[in-house]
């Protein structure tokens, strides 16, 4: 079965109740991960402490509280949307969380002394996050929407989609009327007309012991009552928070794979293994955090994506859209035929309408009019025989003419009634045009999946063909146009590089950074480096990322040597014009911000206790490079680490040029190396290059 990738209206109804318990929490920071279409709100709750709320859009549609270890690292420099959220929401209290009607829309309202702000998470279609001011106007949104039915754009009043029928709040008569208005079978009616979606449509049928495919006109009063009781019970459980959240698995033993998370146990899943959770938030977090990871197999290789499931999904949608188009065509044609029938039997229709209008002018009641037509039919009057119904509340008469039933407004003549039917046919045809546009979009989605499948199979075939050699590496220096692509990383606030073995090394730029690194970023398993000379950066060789559990790592000697070279190169050794210096290494538990008795630690200082491992006469050495794949960015650090990662790099050594001057020289040299004349200017300005240069003077090393 397909794995869950988006939340249902029932999910949102259950979730909004749980999220209401978080009102009063204060927002610390907001983040936007542009590559993942992920908005993260970091809050502080008096009882719970740190609270992470995530909204993900795109291939996965979700919104829930996540465990802190399940959120990604902070992306670094925030984009404009995230900065806007911080400016409006930092320190604001969460005061309201609600689902809009029975739609896949969640509203989060925040209050601050200077006003209120509402975040609207639209978890349907392509997804959107919209920020509203206290007047309901759009401050900003991830996606601008301009449709005939609604507009979502900065500066405009926010328009919710047309409210969907809410089956959780209607009375019995409304419930029955809604179902009886459908011409589909029961499960499709529950899924579409009552907005439960396919899964819960089937679930309700199963619980009521009614066949999925029974036509709605065949439902008995007893079945209607049973269905209503089941839905009313579901509504009560959702409203009162009487949940029993589950994560469901498919498969057996080690092959089990998560396929869904639900707020209550489902009869549809009774044959599947399930795991219970204390809250629906926790179940959603477990599910969405793990289900993508379960696609990975041992060795770090990724299983072939289930292209067939995606293709089947889009083909199913296209079939449904085609059926809808055919229905629209039939409905429009039926309305036109009725209009033409009015003209074809003009005299008969006019006789009926004139009779009603004359009676109403004499204040004859509708019941009496209906009786008059019945008496006329008994006497064989053709016009009266055609009348099959009179509705005084609507002022209409229904006739059966030449085997076709048509309802006319008795206050209008034949021509206006025919025009009304032609207008209705045109309205239905407009819906058909919208469905045609939608089916073209779906066909494009289907074609994209098929292209991805073909690319995957082509790449897979190439990788397993012993006769084929790897493609020639791209000569980025010769490329006429290089696409710019990069993501901000949490460690970019410090000096940093990745060793040739892939380990991250971070170092302080000043005393504040050194202070922060010792207090927050050094963990068990890491290694601490510092030049023996005074005035050097705290340097940390990271064993794990900040969101991963700490662990011991056997670092390769090459990574240790490169971290030591980094520590000495950005110390006063370089600034003094020297070419080598000593560096020591210790474990994190040997580093402390607590001085010995009678001593004082200045800002950025630290105390080191116990044995040290020394790297004597470590040569200074820094290279600055530009990467072009997978990301385009400036990197800098020990030459042995930088050169293999960069499309091109330049090594520097202590010399006569000040930081800003050597940065400009490197910029001009890089610019001359690339055929794409605009590329270096976009990603490697002199200021950006200068961030990777050691303090003091430098000069380029000739190749």
């Amino acid at each position: 079965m397909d794995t869950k990738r988006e939340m249902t209206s029932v999910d949102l109804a259950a979730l909004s109740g749980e999220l209401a318990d978080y009102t009063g929490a204060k927002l610390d920071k907001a983040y936007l991960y542009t590559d993942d279409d992920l908005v993260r709100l970091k809050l502080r709750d008096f009882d719970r402490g740190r609270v992470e709320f995530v909204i993900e859009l795109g291939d996965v549609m979700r919104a829930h509280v996540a465990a802190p270890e399940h959120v990604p690292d902070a992306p670094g420099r925030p984009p404009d949307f995230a900065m806007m959220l911080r400016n409006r929401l930092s320190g604001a209290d969460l005061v309201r969380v609600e689902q809009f009607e029975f739609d896949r829309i969640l509203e989060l309202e925040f209050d601050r002394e200077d006003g209120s702000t509402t975040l609207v998470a639209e978890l349907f279609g392509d997804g959107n996050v919209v920020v509203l001011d206290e007047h309901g106007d759009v401050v900003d949104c991830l996606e601008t929407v301009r449709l005939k039915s609604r507009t979502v754009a900065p500066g405009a009043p926010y328009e919710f989609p047309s409210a969907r029928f809410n089956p959780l709040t209607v009375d019995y008569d409304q419930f029955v009327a809604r179902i009886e208005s459908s011409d589909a079978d029961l499960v499709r009616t529950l899924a579409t007309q009552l907005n439960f979606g396919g899964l819960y449509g089937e679930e309700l049928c199963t619980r009521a012991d009614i066949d999925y495919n029974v036509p709605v006109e065949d439902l008995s009063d007893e079945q209607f009552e049973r269905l209503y009781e089941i839905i009313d019970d579901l509504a009560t459980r959702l409203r009162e928070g009487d949940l029993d959240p589950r994560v469901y698995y498919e498969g057996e033993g080690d092959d089990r794979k998560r396929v869904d998370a639900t707020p209550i146990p489902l009869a549809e899943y009774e044959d599947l293994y399930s795991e219970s959770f204390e809250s629906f938030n926790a179940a959603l977090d477990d599910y969405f955090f793990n289900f993508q990871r379960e696609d990975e197999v041992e060795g770090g290789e990724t299983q072939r994506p289930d292209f067939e499931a995606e293709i089947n999904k889009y083909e199913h949608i296209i079939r449904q859209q085609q059926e809808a188009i055919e229905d629209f065509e039939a409905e429009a044609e039926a309305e036109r035929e009725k209009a033409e029938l009015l003209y074809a039997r003009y005299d008969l229709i006019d006789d009926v309408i004139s009779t009603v209008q004359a009676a109403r002018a004499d204040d004859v009641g509708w019941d009496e009019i209906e009786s008059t037509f019945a008496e006329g039919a008994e006497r064989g009057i053709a016009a009266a025989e055609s009348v099959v119904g009179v509705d005084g509340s609507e002022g209409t008469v229904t006739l059966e003419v030449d085997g076709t039933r048509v309802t006319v407004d008795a206050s209008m003549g034949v021509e206006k009634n025919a025009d009304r039917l032609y207008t209705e046919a045109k309205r239905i045809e407009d819906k058909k045009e919208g469905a045609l546009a939608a089916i073209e979009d779906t066909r494009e989605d289907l074609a994209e999946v098929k292209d991805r499948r073909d690319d995957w199979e082509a790449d897979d075939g190439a990788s397993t063909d012993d006769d084929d050699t790897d493609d020639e590496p791209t000569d980025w220096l010769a490329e006429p146009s290089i696409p710019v692509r990069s993501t901000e990383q949490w460690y970019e606030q410090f000096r940093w590089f990745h060793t040739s073995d892939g380990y991250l090394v971070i170092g302080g730029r000043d005393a504040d950074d050194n202070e922060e690194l010792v207090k927050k970023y050094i963990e068990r398993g890491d290694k601490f480096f510092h030049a023996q000379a005074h005035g050097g950066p705290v340097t940390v060789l990271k064993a794990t990322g900040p969101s991963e559990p700490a662990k011991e790592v056997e670092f390769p000697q090459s990574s240790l040597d490169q971290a030591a070279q980094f520590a000495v190169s950005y110390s006063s050794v370089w600034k003094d014009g020297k070419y080598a210096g000593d560096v020591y290494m210790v474990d994190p538990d040997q580093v402390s911000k607590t001085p010995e008795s009678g001593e004082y630690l200045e800002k950025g200082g630290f105390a080191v206790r116990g044995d040290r491992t020394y790297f004597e006469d470590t040569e200074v050495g820094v290279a600055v490079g530009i990467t072009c794949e997978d990301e385009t960015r400036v990197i800098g650090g020990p030459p042995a680490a930088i050169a293999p990662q960069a499309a091109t790099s330049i090594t520097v050594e202590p010399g006569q040029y000040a930081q800003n001057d050597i940065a400009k020289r490197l910029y001009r040299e890089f610019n001359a190396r690339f055929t794409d004349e605009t590329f270096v200017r976009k990603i490697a300005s002199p200021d950006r290059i200068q961030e990777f240069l050691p303090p003091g003077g430098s000069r380029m090393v000739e190749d």
Side-chain angles (χ1 to χ4, degrees), residues 369-634:
I369 291 172
E370 187 171 20
S371 298
T372 301
F373 279 126
E375 292 170 2
E378 290 177 0
R379 297 199 302 269
I381 300 173
E385 286 178 331
S386 68
V387 175
V388 295
V390 176
D391 187 344
S393 64
E394 296 292 334
T396 61
V397 178
T398 301
L399 304 92
E400 183 163 327
V401 183
D402 298 341
T404 299
R405 289 198 175 195
V406 57
T407 299
V408 296
D409 186 334
S411 67
M412 302 177 181
V414 176
E415 294 87 353
K416 287 189 176 180
N417 271 289
D419 286 346
R420 179 177 57 81
L421 292 168
Y422 281 127
T423 300
E424 177 63 12
K426 180 64 171 65
R427 186 189 69 81
I428 295 170
E429 285 183 333
D430 289 343
K431 291 173 66 177
K432 171 191 164 185
E433 293 303 317
L436 286 170
I439 202 172
E440 287 306 313
D441 290 341
T442 308
R443 284 174 175 150
E444 290 178 7
D445 293 336
L446 175 62
E448 190 271 336
V449 174
K450 289 181 176 179
D451 287 343
R452 285 195 285 116
R453 178 195 61 186
D454 294 342
D455 290 344
W456 175 281
E457 291 174 350
D459 291 343
D460 189 52
S463 66
T464 57
D465 190 347
D466 293 335
D467 295 333
D468 290 343
T469 58
D470 292 335
D471 292 338
E472 289 293 322
T474 302
D475 182 1
W476 291 107
L477 301 184
E479 284 291 304
S481 179
I482 303 173
V484 174
R485 50 193 183 278
S486 63
T487 55
E488 302 293 342
Q489 302 294 339
W490 66 270
Y491 46 76
E492 290 183 53
Q493 60 185 304
F494 306 111
R495 294 192 188 278
W496 65 275
F497 78 98
H498 285 94
T499 71
S500 54
D501 306 299
Y503 290 98
L504 174 66
V505 176
I506 50 178
R509 297 182 183 276
D510 51 33
D512 288 333
D513 279 3
N514 286 347
E515 194 90 4
E516 188 172 6
L517 284 169
V518 172
K519 287 182 176 179
K520 293 177 56 178
Y521 288 97
I522 187 166
E523 299 175 296
R524 179 177 62 83
D526 297 344
K527 295 295 181 183
F528 175 97
F529 290 80
H530 199 276
Q532 189 67 27
H534 181 74
V538 165
T539 299
V540 181
L541 174 58
K542 295 293 295 177
T544 56
S547 63
E548 300 173 329
K551 63 179 180 181
E552 299 291 340
V553 169
E554 189 68 33
F555 291 106
Q557 188 61 44
S558 52
S559 287
L560 299 175
D561 291 340
Q562 290 163 21
Q565 187 174 46
F566 179 88
V568 73
S569 296
Y570 291 94
S571 73
S572 60
V573 171
W574 186 289
K575 193 172 184 179
D576 292 341
K578 300 176 181 178
Y579 284 81
D582 294 342
V583 178
Y584 64 84
M585 176 184 75
V586 295
D587 293 328
D589 58 5
Q590 296 178 248
V591 183
S592 173
K593 289 296 298 176
T594 304
E596 297 288 353
S597 178
E599 295 183 355
Y600 167 75
L601 291 178
E602 61 185 18
K603 187 174 185 179
F606 47 86
V608 176
R609 300 177 175 88
D611 296 336
R612 310 180 185 190
T613 300
Y614 281 91
F615 296 77
E616 297 179 345
D617 292 325
T618 298
E619 293 185 358
V620 298
V622 169
V624 179
I626 295 177
T627 64
C628 296
E629 54 182 354
D630 297 318
E631 294 191 338
T632 49
R633 63 166 71 244
V634 182

Side-chain angles (χ1 to χ4, degrees), residues 99-152:
Q99 178 187 23
F100 173 70
E101 296 296 335
F102 192 54
D103 213 332
R104 288 177 291 168
I105 298 176
L106 197 65
E107 299 177 72
L108 293 87
E109 183 180 351
F110 293 86
D111 269 1
R112 205 169 58 178
E113 287 185 0
D114 56 353
S116 67
T117 301
T118 300
L119 261 67
V120 181
E122 298 182 349
L123 302 177
F124 60 87
D126 293 328
N128 205 354
V129 174
V130 188
V131 182
L132 311 181
D133 64 17
E134 56 203 46
H135 306 294
D137 294 333
V138 178
V139 177
D140 203 353
C141 50
L142 288 183
E143 298 291 338
T144 299
V145 178
R146 298 186 188 277
L147 302 172
K148 287 184 178 179
S149 58
R150 65 192 291 252
T151 297
V152 179

Side-chain angles (χ1 to χ4, degrees), residues 309-372:
E310 282 194 81
I311 289 170
N312 289 338
K313 178 185 75 172
Y314 286 123
E315 288 177 341
H316 177 67
I317 293 172
I318 289 171
R319 285 194 296 271
Q320 290 182 319
Q321 291 169 328
Q322 287 172 331
E323 290 173 3
I325 289 169
E326 291 169 2
D327 290 342
F328 291 145
E329 290 173 343
E331 291 171 19
E333 182 61 24
E335 295 302 305
R336 278 193 300 269
E337 288 177 358
K338 291 175 185 177
E340 291 163 5
L341 183 62
L342 294 188
Y343 284 115
R345 301 298 302 273
Y346 188 101
D347 291 340
L348 185 145
I349 306 299
D350 184 63
D351 192 4
V352 172
I353 292 175
S354 298
T355 298
V356 174
Q357 289 177 344
R360 292 300 295 158
D362 292 335
D363 292 328
V364 177
W366 285 98
D367 290 342
E368 188 175 344
I369 291 172
E370 187 171 20
S371 298
T372 301

